Amino acid sequence: KIDVEACLCPELVVPPSCECCLRLPTKAADVGNSFAVTDKNGHEVIRVIFWKREGQQRLFLSTGLGDIVAQCVPALSTHDEVCLLRACGEFFGKVVKGSTQDKYSLRTFSGAELTVHGSGW
């Protein structure tokens, strides 16, 4: 059984003993204000939408039908952090820039941490 409180997007949880491979563009600047994250067969799994208005910035994750499942906003305290919010706006965790250019940590409100490596923001 899935612990819904521990998941940012329960709809996107991969069942135990299964694997999910996702594809996304390597250069976000080339995709405009949104892009699709697809499975290896090209079927859209989630859409990433960039939003900027009057100095505010947000990044939304939505289903193919346009339902928002999560959002990201810049942290108010520092430019090296991004807050992750549930669709309703409730705080879930934050992404923090690590000690090297390509290292980031996802820290959830429950204390879980995931470190990832990728290109800089």
Side-chain angles (χ1 to χ4, degrees):
K1 186 175 179 179
I2 297 171
D3 179 3
V4 175
E5 289 298 314
C7 300
L8 177 63
C9 303
E11 305 88 351
L12 297 176
V13 172
V14 177
S17 302
C18 292
E19 184 177 275
C20 178
C21 296
L22 300 175
R23 298 170 51 183
L24 56 143
T26 56
K27 295 183 180 179
D30 294 341
V31 297
N33 66 348
S34 73
F35 64 87
V37 177
T38 64
D39 64 17
K40 63 182 181 178
N41 296 318
H43 298 106
E44 185 171 320
V45 175
I46 199 88
R47 178 156 290 277
V48 178
I49 304 165
F50 300 100
W51 179 88
K52 186 174 183 178
R53 185 177 299 155
E54 298 175 8
Q56 295 183 344
Q57 297 179 55
R58 286 187 185 258
L59 183 144
F60 293 98
L61 301 179
S62 74
T63 65
L65 299 174
D67 297 324
I68 302 298
V69 294
Q71 52 184 306
C72 301
V73 297
L76 297 176
S77 58
T78 176
H79 59 74
D80 287 340
E81 293 181 5
V82 176
C83 295
L84 297 176
L85 309 176
R86 297 181 190 277
C88 65
E90 176 186 33
F91 180 78
F92 176 78
K94 60 185 175 180
V95 177
V96 180
K97 188 175 180 193
S99 57
T100 62
Q101 179 68 19
D102 65 343
K103 185 176 178 182
Y104 301 90
S105 293
L106 166 60
R107 299 178 186 153
T108 68
F109 72 95
S110 65
E113 185 167 346
L114 171 69
T115 300
V116 295
H117 296 271
S119 61
W121 54 29

